[in-house]
């Protein structure tokens, strides 16, 4: 669920901005656990963010992905974390991510 823009990310969490320029509603802010940064699906998205935006940005980390696809990606990471013995292949990815 999108987080309030005025809220600071608590220790161990990271604010990200998700959205595509042509997407209705623009960008939305989310707060995710830092541990997600080590997941292969999010690492692929971070590589793409570097290609699109570079390393030097101000504010929350921007992810070039539709909000719907990001919500699905987050769901998959959470499902995998809750289901340690059933890993989803990281080769499955999304249209806009």
């Amino acid at each position: 669920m999108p987080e309030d823009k005025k809220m600071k990310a608590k220790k161990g969490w990271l604010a990200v901005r998700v959205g595509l320029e042509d997407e209705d509603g623009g960008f939305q802010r989310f707060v995710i656990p830092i541990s997600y940064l080590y997941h292969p699906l999010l690492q692929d998205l971070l590589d793409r963010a570097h290609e699109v935006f570079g390393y030097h940005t101000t504010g929350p980390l921007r992810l070039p992905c539709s909000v719907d696809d990001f919500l699905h990606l987050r769901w998959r990471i959470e499902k995998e974390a809750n289901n340690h013995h059933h890993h989803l292949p990281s080769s499955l990815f999304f249209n806009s991510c």
Side-chain angles (χ1 to χ4, degrees):
M1 177 172 283
E3 301 293 331
D4 181 24
K5 290 182 181 182
K6 295 179 183 177
M7 290 179 58
K8 283 188 114 180
K10 60 185 174 181
K11 186 175 181 176
W13 294 72
L14 174 72
V16 295
R17 261 180 91 200
V18 178
L20 299 172
E21 302 215 3
D22 59 349
E23 186 175 42
D24 289 338
F27 292 94
Q28 290 186 26
R29 184 177 184 268
F30 294 87
V31 178
I32 60 171
I34 289 176
S35 62
Y36 283 17
L37 297 177
Y38 300 102
H39 193 280
L41 288 175
L42 198 55
Q43 286 194 355
D44 288 343
L45 187 54
L46 290 172
D47 289 342
R48 181 137 184 253
H50 171 250
E51 292 172 12
V52 173
F53 303 120
Y55 283 124
H56 303 288
T57 62
T58 58
L61 176 65
R62 291 174 60 188
L63 300 177
C65 181
S66 77
V67 171
D68 288 341
D69 282 346
F70 175 77
L71 291 172
H72 186 80
L73 180 141
R74 187 177 71 175
W75 172 82
R76 287 181 55 194
I77 293 172
E78 289 170 357
K79 182 177 178 182
E80 188 174 310
N82 292 330
N83 225 355
H84 297 289
H85 58 280
H86 290 93
H87 292 284
L88 297 170
S90 62
S91 60
L92 296 175
F93 218 62
F94 310 104
N95 293 331
S96 66
C97 293

